[in-house]
Amino acid sequence: MGNLIATRPPQPWTAPTASDPVEATLRLPGSKSMTARALVLSALASGPSTLAGPLRARDTELMAAGLRAMGAHMSISDDERWLVRPHPLVGPAHVDVGLAGTVMRFVPPVAGLADGRITFDGDPQARTRPLGPLIGALRSLGARVDAPATGSLPLTVLGTGRVTGGEVVIDASASSQLVSGLLLAAPRFDRGVVVRHVGPPVPSAPHLRMTVQMLRAAGAAVDDGTPDVWVVEPGPLTGRGWEIEPDLSGAVPFFAAALVTGGEVTLQGWPRSSAQPVEQLRSLLQRMGGEVTLSTAGLTVRGTGVVHGLDADLSDVSELTPALTALAMLADSPSRFTGVGHIRGHETDRLTALAREFAALGADITESPDGLEIRPRPLHGGVFETYHDHRMAHAAAVAGLAVPGIELSDVACTSKTMPEFPALWSAMVTGKS
């Protein structure tokens, strides 16, 4: 299990309760996953790139700052359009990873390509997140990495301006980011990379497909035709314009509000062809009682006010677990979620945290090693600890739609991926958008 670290600010935020069906049309910030990958690929490209509609949040600003510290030129003052101009990467530099898995797993492989000493550290909780497989892989590919025996932060990459690359075996069952981090930098390795995963299944497969898709869009030659093997050939990356999609994971609490209240929520700006797992989300929300449609207006979810329980393997879409757990609390039948044991190593141990906080509100919820079982019954208000975890805050907000008096200990943690969340959520529930 991961560590649960709780800090309670003096003024909790009370989640608004919906008295009517929500009716909202929203334009949400860009995808964190796409923004992070575009920043890395742009910093390693042979020419300038632009990011249209990027996510401005703590995680992506830390990513930009880390790459800038090593020499990449980042112009991110315009919220709608960021400009990245690649430049030779050099140390000494320090990268603050905060609590961002993308920064702690995507930037160390880039640091191996820098000429100089690059140090990494972050929030106290970041030192509990698993990096051992990545550290071992980088060492076997020719990078010099100094790190604790625990395989965690703080660590130092002693870059020489090049990484040999080649074949590496890794157990990425804790996070698909361990593979994505290697693949994103691999075109710049002397020999590219062949990554072979051994161990339990890699979670969040759609994120790996996004990595491969974006690498190809930047001109990289990638072969992912063999299960659990990824081959990236050495070669230049092309600077380009990136169109960042709205963040699907961040939209899920808002879509959940449509199901809970029998309302309708539309996410504007949704592309016809998406790099995110929209079909998996569509299936899950439909099974829970929603109607999901894609039109020129955007991605729309409608609810009836009745939520159904479900039995689902969420291994591909584990980021959705907290919001779906909140929905399951309000369902008309039990639910069982499996395949998400790896989220114990996210911002907090999400399975234990969800079970603990919802139980404190009267829920009948049981942890298993890789999931949760929920048997709905009436909940009551109370303080809901968020553990510095934006997804925990989202879960509490969803439950608060139907349960008066749920107070989030720290709604500000949503700034990790969506600083606008409290204002957008309150405007949606009150209808004063």
Side-chain angles (χ1 to χ4, degrees), residues 175-203:
S175 173
S176 65
Q177 292 173 349
L178 297 166
V179 174
S180 286
L182 294 171
L183 300 185
L184 289 167
R188 293 284 306 277
F189 295 173
D190 294 348
R191 294 166 48 197
V193 79
V194 178
V195 178
R196 298 183 185 276
H197 162 71
V198 295
V202 180

Side-chain angles (χ1 to χ4, degrees), residues 42 45-50 83-86 238-242:
S42 299
S46 56
S49 297
T50 57
L83 174 64
V84 181
R85 295 185 183 276
T238 305
R240 52 159 291 159
W242 296 101

Side-chain angles (χ1 to χ4, degrees), residues 17 23 109 122 124 128 142 155 178 241 260 283 316 335 354 368 391 414:
T17 302
E23 303 284 341
T128 69
L155 63 85
L178 297 166
V260 171
S283 174
D316 273 0
S335 295
L354 287 165
S368 68
R391 304 295 181 207
T414 57

